[in-house]
Structures are given as structure tokens and as C-alpha cells.
Amino acid sequence: MQNRYSRQILFQPIGEKGQEQLQQKSVLVAGAGALGTVASNHLVRAGVDHIRIVDRDFVEYSNLQRQMLYTEQDAKNMLPKAVAAENRLKEINPEVSIEGLVTDITSENIEKLMDGVDVVIDGTDNFSTRYLLNDACFKLGIPFAYGGAVSSRGMSAFFVPGETPCLRCMVPDGAGNGQTCDTVGVIAPVVDMVASLQVTEVMKYLTNNDHALRKDLYTFDMWQNQQFSMKLKEPVPDCTTCQTKAFPYLHTSVEEEYSVLCGRDSVQIHKTDHFDLHVWGQRLQTIAEVKKTPFLLKAILDSGETLVLFPDGRVLVQGIDDITRAKTLYDRLIGS
């Protein structure tokens, strides 16, 4: 066994057998922001065979405080997070297969994204996508490592189809308080702790240490020195995910043509399936300051808003959270 993993192998619950198991497993990391970068870093260093990282966003300077895989150069180059994460992780451990996908997670592609994976790690920043992941995991029988971090607070749980309730049972639709990192901030140690809790449960599961899995929804506040553990209860009898198996988020498109990105002061518009960035750079350079990379085109308007065009047909209208205003700008500059 390689010296790279020697200290992990010395840990008796893993040992050589557990290390061999890790090197045969595949994990989907949904989101390459704060939680996703920490989680994927741990997984890659631990030697998990294949890591699939999915994220729709690009690196910005405000990410650098807590999203540990990215550098100032990544932000300067406006690299998609999935691309920047893949590049950095390959430098950390070239033995691991790393697949960075620049796309949105939707009801149309979620099952394909989960094809062949043994477990899913939540690195998202909104409950719509989390419920979608929850539905897909329980439909396909794949464990789901949930996590969330905001301000100085964090929470995590590990849900196993057929053995535990699901996320919807523990956190019903609409139960969130609406706070996000962009409205109330977040300190990096909270992110590190939540993602580390997620990965620890994943490692237990992948090495067949099921007896050691936590059976709770763990929450804490690092600043206020508080922690609370809520035992995973019996499934809600009429839960539409794990009981009636209606899986509502798999049948209702999470991604509408127009959607406000939670806490991001941005509206995403997806009305076509392709943009030629070269062509659009030429079109928009007469009315905006244009910056183009192989992965996206950024058009900064005199009015203060910014349009970010992606090759897959998505547009982010940054600087507003008003869908009506975003529609107006889109129709005026891109066309309906």
C-alpha cells in the first residue's frame, strides 16, 4: 500500500482493507463552493477512487475567504469552480480520477450525474437543490450526506435510504430561516467543520463501518459555544420522498427559465441551450465592458448590472434580484 495513505491505514477502523475499499469508490460532490471544496479536498487526499464535482458558478474574490481550493488567479481568470477545483485536486493527488462538470443540477440531469456513484455529498447553498438531491438519492438508493453552514452555525446529517428518514422528514419544505452567507456572512472554520463531519460519515460508510454512523441531525454554533444533537426520528408517514415515493422535485423542474439565486443578488435565465461566446463577445462589446474566457463571457453594463453568459445557454444577471428587471435586460440585450 502506498506511503501516501500510511497514516490513514494505521487508523484501525480503516486499515489496509478500508483503504482498498476507498480506492474502489465514487462520490458525487454537488456544489464546489465552501462545503464542496473542503469535502472534495478531504476525499481526494483520502484516496477515494473517483470524485465527480458539479457546479454552475465561477470563482470570485469573495469566495477566497472560505473556499479553500481557489486562488486569486482563479478569481482573476473567472475560472468555473468545477474547472478550478479539478485542476487543484489533480495537483494534490494524481492517483484519483477527478471529473469537474460545469453545469446546473436539475431534475433533467440529476440521475445521470449520480450514475455510478456510491454516495452524494451536499455542497449546495439552497434547499431546492437539496430536496432534489434528497429525492434522487432515495429513488436510487444512494446515501446522502447533508450539510449547511451560515454565520457561525452549522449542521449535518447522513441519510441512508431504507435505514433512516430523509432530509424532508427532518427539515420540511419552507423550514429554513432565509439567512445566507451573502446576507449574514460566514466564518471559514464553520465550513471546515461541517464538511469534515460530512466526509467522516462518508468514509465510515465506504469502509463498511456502518455501526459507527451517526444517527442524528447535528447542529452547532461555534461562536456561541453551543451544540445540539437531534436523533433521527421515524420517517414522516406521508413523506413524499421516502414513504409515498412521489419524489416531487424529480417531476417539477427546479430550474425555471428565470430563477433568483438565493443570497447572490443575481437572476439566472436559461432560455436556450447554447451560446457562441465569440459571437456574443463581438455583439456586446459595443454596449458593455466585455471579458471573455474559454468558459464564460462577462459583460459589465454602464447601469451597474453584469451579464455572465455560459456556453450551455445560461445567463446570470448580476447586481439585481428583480426578475422583471432581469427579463427586461435579457430581452433587450440577448433577445427573447
Coordinates of all heavy atoms in Angstrom, one line a residue, residues 168-223:
R168 N -36.3 15.5 4.0 CA -37.6 16.2 4.1 C -38.3 15.9 5.4 O -39.0 16.7 5.9 CB -38.4 15.7 2.9 CG -39.8 16.4 2.8 CD -40.6 15.8 1.7 NE -40.0 15.9 0.4 CZ -40.2 17.0 -0.4 NH1 -40.9 18.0 0.0 NH2 -39.6 17.0 -1.6
C169 N -38.1 14.7 5.9 CA -38.7 14.3 7.2 C -38.1 15.2 8.3 O -38.8 15.6 9.3 CB -38.4 12.9 7.5 SG -39.2 11.6 6.5
M170 N -36.8 15.5 8.3 CA -36.2 16.2 9.3 C -36.3 17.8 9.1 O -36.4 18.5 10.1 CB -34.7 15.9 9.4 CG -34.5 14.4 9.7 SD -35.2 13.8 11.3 CE -34.1 14.7 12.4
V171 N -36.3 18.2 7.9 CA -36.3 19.6 7.6 C -37.4 19.8 6.5 O -37.1 19.8 5.3 CB -35.0 20.2 7.1 CG1 -35.0 21.7 6.9 CG2 -33.8 19.7 8.0
P172 N -38.6 20.0 6.9 CA -39.7 20.1 5.9 C -39.6 21.3 5.0 O -38.8 22.3 5.3 CB -41.0 20.3 6.8 CG -40.6 19.8 8.2 CD -39.1 20.1 8.3
D173 N -40.2 21.3 3.9 CA -40.2 22.4 2.9 C -40.6 23.7 3.7 O -41.5 23.8 4.4 CB -41.3 22.2 1.8 CG -40.7 21.5 0.6 OD1 -39.5 21.8 0.3 OD2 -41.4 20.7 0.0
G174 N -39.8 24.7 3.4 CA -40.0 26.1 4.0 C -39.6 26.3 5.4 O -39.9 27.3 6.0
A175 N -38.8 25.3 6.0 CA -38.4 25.4 7.4 C -37.2 26.2 7.6 O -36.9 26.6 8.7 CB -38.1 24.0 7.9
G176 N -36.5 26.6 6.5 CA -35.3 27.4 6.6 C -35.7 28.9 7.1 O -36.8 29.3 6.9
N177 N -34.7 29.6 7.7 CA -34.9 30.9 8.1 C -34.6 32.0 7.1 O -34.7 33.2 7.4 CB -34.2 31.2 9.5 CG -32.7 31.1 9.3 OD1 -32.1 31.1 8.2 ND2 -32.0 31.0 10.5
G178 N -34.1 31.6 5.9 CA -33.8 32.5 4.9 C -32.5 33.2 4.9 O -32.1 34.0 4.0
Q179 N -31.7 32.9 6.0 CA -30.4 33.5 6.1 C -29.4 32.8 5.2 O -29.5 31.6 5.0 CB -29.9 33.5 7.5 CG -30.7 34.4 8.5 CD -30.1 34.4 9.9 OE1 -29.4 33.4 10.3 NE2 -30.2 35.5 10.6
T180 N -28.5 33.6 4.5 CA -27.5 33.0 3.7 C -26.1 33.7 4.0 O -26.1 34.7 4.7 CB -27.8 33.3 2.2 OG1 -27.6 34.7 1.9 CG2 -29.2 32.9 1.8
C181 N -25.1 33.1 3.4 CA -23.8 33.6 3.6 C -23.7 35.0 3.1 O -22.9 35.9 3.6 CB -22.7 32.7 3.0 SG -22.6 31.1 3.7
D182 N -24.4 35.4 2.0 CA -24.4 36.7 1.4 C -25.1 37.7 2.2 O -24.9 38.9 2.0 CB -24.9 36.6 0.0 CG -24.0 35.8 -0.9 OD1 -24.1 34.6 -0.9 OD2 -23.2 36.4 -1.6
T183 N -26.0 37.3 3.1 CA -26.8 38.3 3.9 C -26.3 38.4 5.3 O -26.3 39.5 5.9 CB -28.3 37.9 3.9 OG1 -28.4 36.6 4.5 CG2 -28.8 37.9 2.5
V184 N -25.8 37.3 5.9 CA -25.3 37.4 7.3 C -23.9 37.0 7.5 O -23.3 37.0 8.6 CB -26.2 36.6 8.3 CG1 -27.6 37.1 8.2 CG2 -26.2 35.1 7.9
G185 N -23.2 36.6 6.4 CA -21.8 36.2 6.4 C -21.6 34.8 6.9 O -22.5 34.0 7.2
V186 N -20.3 34.3 6.9 CA -20.0 33.0 7.4 C -18.5 33.1 7.8 O -17.7 33.7 7.1 CB -20.3 31.9 6.4 CG1 -19.5 32.1 5.2 CG2 -20.1 30.5 7.0
I187 N -18.1 32.3 8.8 CA -16.7 32.2 9.1 C -16.2 30.9 8.6 O -16.9 29.9 8.7 CB -16.4 32.4 10.6 CG1 -17.2 31.5 11.5 CG2 -16.6 33.9 11.0 CD1 -16.9 31.6 13.0
A188 N -15.0 30.9 8.1 CA -14.4 29.7 7.5 C -14.4 28.4 8.4 O -14.6 27.3 7.9 CB -13.0 30.0 6.9
P189 N -14.0 28.6 9.7 CA -14.0 27.3 10.5 C -15.3 26.6 10.6 O -15.3 25.3 10.7 CB -13.6 27.9 11.9 CG -12.8 29.1 11.6 CD -13.5 29.7 10.4
V190 N -16.4 27.3 10.4 CA -17.7 26.6 10.4 C -17.8 25.7 9.2 O -18.2 24.5 9.3 CB -18.9 27.6 10.4 CG1 -20.2 26.9 10.2 CG2 -18.9 28.4 11.7
V191 N -17.4 26.2 8.1 CA -17.4 25.4 6.8 C -16.5 24.2 6.9 O -16.9 23.1 6.6 CB -16.9 26.3 5.6 CG1 -16.7 25.5 4.4 CG2 -17.9 27.5 5.4
D192 N -15.3 24.4 7.5 CA -14.4 23.3 7.6 C -15.0 22.2 8.5 O -14.9 21.0 8.2 CB -13.1 23.7 8.2 CG -12.3 24.6 7.3 OD1 -12.6 24.7 6.1 OD2 -11.3 25.2 7.7
M193 N -15.6 22.6 9.6 CA -16.2 21.6 10.5 C -17.3 20.8 9.9 O -17.4 19.6 10.0 CB -16.6 22.3 11.8 CG -17.1 21.3 12.9 SD -17.2 22.1 14.5 CE -17.9 20.7 15.4
V194 N -18.3 21.5 9.2 CA -19.4 20.8 8.6 C -19.0 19.9 7.5 O -19.4 18.7 7.5 CB -20.4 21.9 8.0 CG1 -21.5 21.1 7.2 CG2 -21.0 22.7 9.1
A195 N -18.1 20.3 6.6 CA -17.6 19.4 5.6 C -16.8 18.3 6.1 O -16.9 17.1 5.6 CB -16.8 20.2 4.6
S196 N -16.1 18.5 7.2 CA -15.3 17.4 7.8 C -16.3 16.4 8.4 O -16.0 15.1 8.3 CB -14.4 17.9 8.9 OG -13.4 18.7 8.3
L197 N -17.4 16.8 9.0 CA -18.4 15.9 9.5 C -19.0 15.1 8.4 O -19.2 13.9 8.5 CB -19.5 16.7 10.3 CG -19.0 17.3 11.6 CD1 -20.1 18.3 12.1 CD2 -18.8 16.2 12.7
Q198 N -19.3 15.8 7.3 CA -19.9 15.1 6.2 C -19.0 14.0 5.7 O -19.4 12.8 5.4 CB -20.2 16.0 5.0 CG -21.3 17.0 5.3 CD -21.5 18.0 4.2 OE1 -20.7 19.0 4.1 NE2 -22.4 17.8 3.3
V199 N -17.7 14.3 5.5 CA -16.7 13.4 4.9 C -16.5 12.2 5.8 O -16.3 11.1 5.4 CB -15.4 14.1 4.5 CG1 -14.4 13.1 4.1 CG2 -15.7 15.1 3.4
T200 N -16.5 12.5 7.1 CA -16.2 11.4 8.1 C -17.3 10.4 8.0 O -17.0 9.2 8.0 CB -16.2 12.0 9.5 OG1 -15.1 12.9 9.6 CG2 -16.0 10.9 10.6
E201 N -18.6 10.8 7.9 CA -19.7 9.8 7.7 C -19.5 9.1 6.4 O -19.8 7.8 6.4 CB -21.0 10.5 7.8 CG -21.3 11.2 9.2 CD -21.1 10.2 10.3 OE1 -21.9 9.2 10.4 OE2 -20.1 10.4 11.1
V202 N -19.1 9.8 5.4 CA -18.9 9.1 4.1 C -17.8 8.0 4.2 O -18.0 6.9 3.6 CB -18.6 10.2 3.0 CG1 -18.1 9.5 1.7 CG2 -19.8 11.0 2.7
M203 N -16.8 8.4 4.8 CA -15.7 7.4 5.0 C -16.1 6.2 5.8 O -15.7 5.1 5.5 CB -14.4 8.1 5.6 CG -13.8 9.1 4.7 SD -12.4 9.9 5.4 CE -11.2 8.6 5.5
K204 N -16.9 6.4 6.8 CA -17.4 5.3 7.6 C -18.2 4.4 6.7 O -18.1 3.1 6.7 CB -18.3 5.8 8.7 CG -17.6 6.5 9.8 CD -18.6 7.0 10.8 CE -18.1 8.0 11.9 NZ -19.1 8.5 12.8
Y205 N -19.1 5.0 5.9 CA -20.0 4.2 5.0 C -19.2 3.4 4.0 O -19.4 2.3 3.7 CB -21.0 5.1 4.4 CG -21.9 4.4 3.4 CD1 -23.0 3.7 3.8 CD2 -21.7 4.5 2.0 CE1 -23.8 3.0 3.0 CE2 -22.5 3.8 1.1 CZ -23.6 3.1 1.6 OH -24.4 2.4 0.7
L206 N -18.2 4.1 3.3 CA -17.5 3.5 2.2 C -16.6 2.4 2.7 O -16.1 1.6 1.9 CB -16.7 4.6 1.5 CG -17.5 5.6 0.7 CD1 -16.6 6.6 0.0 CD2 -18.5 5.0 -0.2
T207 N -16.2 2.4 4.0 CA -15.3 1.3 4.5 C -16.1 0.3 5.4 O -15.5 -0.4 6.1 CB -14.2 2.0 5.4 OG1 -14.8 2.7 6.5 CG2 -13.3 2.9 4.6
N208 N -17.4 0.3 5.2 CA -18.3 -0.7 5.9 C -18.3 -0.6 7.4 O -18.4 -1.6 8.1 CB -18.0 -2.1 5.4 CG -18.3 -2.4 4.0 OD1 -19.2 -1.8 3.4 ND2 -17.6 -3.3 3.4
N209 N -18.1 0.6 7.9 CA -18.1 0.9 9.3 C -19.5 1.5 9.7 O -19.6 2.5 10.4 CB -17.0 1.8 9.8 CG -15.7 1.1 9.9 OD1 -15.4 0.4 10.8 ND2 -14.8 1.4 8.9
D210 N -20.6 0.8 9.2 CA -21.9 1.3 9.4 C -22.3 1.4 10.8 O -23.1 2.3 11.2 CB -22.9 0.3 8.7 CG -22.8 0.3 7.2 OD1 -21.8 1.0 6.7 OD2 -23.6 -0.3 6.5
H211 N -21.8 0.6 11.7 CA -22.1 0.6 13.1 C -21.7 2.0 13.8 O -22.2 2.4 14.8 CB -21.4 -0.5 13.9 CG -19.9 -0.4 13.8 ND1 -19.2 -0.8 12.8 CD2 -19.0 0.1 14.8 CE1 -17.9 -0.6 13.0 NE2 -17.8 -0.1 14.2
A212 N -20.7 2.6 13.1 CA -20.2 3.9 13.7 C -20.9 5.1 13.1 O -20.6 6.2 13.6 CB -18.7 4.0 13.4
L213 N -21.8 4.9 12.2 CA -22.5 6.1 11.6 C -23.3 6.8 12.7 O -24.0 6.2 13.5 CB -23.4 5.6 10.5 CG -22.7 5.2 9.2 CD1 -23.8 4.5 8.3 CD2 -22.1 6.3 8.5
R214 N -23.3 8.2 12.6 CA -24.1 9.0 13.5 C -25.6 8.8 13.1 O -25.9 8.7 11.9 CB -23.8 10.5 13.4 CG -22.5 10.8 14.0 CD -22.3 12.3 14.3 NE -23.3 13.1 13.6 CZ -23.1 13.8 12.5 NH1 -21.9 13.7 11.9 NH2 -24.0 14.5 11.9
K215 N -26.5 8.8 14.0 CA -27.9 8.7 13.7 C -28.6 9.9 14.2 O -29.6 9.9 15.0 CB -28.5 7.4 14.4 CG -27.8 6.1 14.1 CD -28.0 5.7 12.7 CE -27.4 4.3 12.4 NZ -27.6 3.9 11.0
D216 N -28.1 11.1 13.8 CA -28.6 12.3 14.3 C -28.5 13.4 13.3 O -27.7 13.3 12.3 CB -28.0 12.7 15.6 CG -26.5 13.0 15.5 OD1 -26.0 13.0 14.4 OD2 -25.9 13.4 16.5
L217 N -29.2 14.5 13.5 CA -29.0 15.8 12.9 C -28.3 16.7 13.8 O -28.8 17.1 14.9 CB -30.4 16.4 12.5 CG -30.3 17.8 11.9 CD1 -29.6 17.8 10.5 CD2 -31.7 18.4 11.7
Y218 N -27.0 16.9 13.5 CA -26.1 17.6 14.5 C -26.0 19.1 14.1 O -25.8 19.4 12.9 CB -24.7 17.0 14.4 CG -23.7 17.6 15.3 CD1 -23.9 17.6 16.7 CD2 -22.6 18.3 14.8 CE1 -22.9 18.2 17.6 CE2 -21.7 18.9 15.6 CZ -21.8 18.8 17.0 OH -20.9 19.4 17.8
T219 N -26.3 19.9 15.0 CA -26.2 21.4 14.8 C -25.3 22.0 15.9 O -25.2 21.5 17.0 CB -27.6 22.1 14.9 OG1 -28.1 22.0 16.2 CG2 -28.5 21.4 13.9
F220 N -24.6 23.1 15.5 CA -23.7 23.8 16.4 C -23.6 25.2 16.1 O -23.8 25.7 14.9 CB -22.3 23.1 16.4 CG -21.6 23.1 15.1 CD1 -20.8 24.2 14.8 CD2 -21.8 22.2 14.1 CE1 -20.2 24.3 13.6 CE2 -21.2 22.2 12.9 CZ -20.3 23.3 12.6
D221 N -23.1 26.0 17.0 CA -22.8 27.4 16.8 C -21.4 27.6 17.4 O -21.2 27.6 18.7 CB -23.8 28.3 17.5 CG -23.6 29.8 17.2 OD1 -22.4 30.2 17.1 OD2 -24.5 30.5 16.9
M222 N -20.4 27.7 16.6 CA -19.0 27.8 17.1 C -18.7 29.1 17.9 O -17.9 29.1 18.8 CB -18.0 27.7 15.9 CG -18.1 26.3 15.2 SD -16.8 26.2 13.9 CE -15.3 26.0 14.9
W223 N -19.4 30.1 17.5 CA -19.1 31.4 18.2 C -19.8 31.5 19.6 O -19.2 32.0 20.5 CB -19.6 32.6 17.3 CG -19.0 33.9 17.6 CD1 -19.4 34.9 18.5 CD2 -17.7 34.3 17.1 NE1 -18.5 35.9 18.5 CE2 -17.5 35.6 17.7 CE3 -16.8 33.8 16.2 CZ2 -16.3 36.4 17.3 CZ3 -15.7 34.5 15.9 CH2 -15.4 35.8 16.5

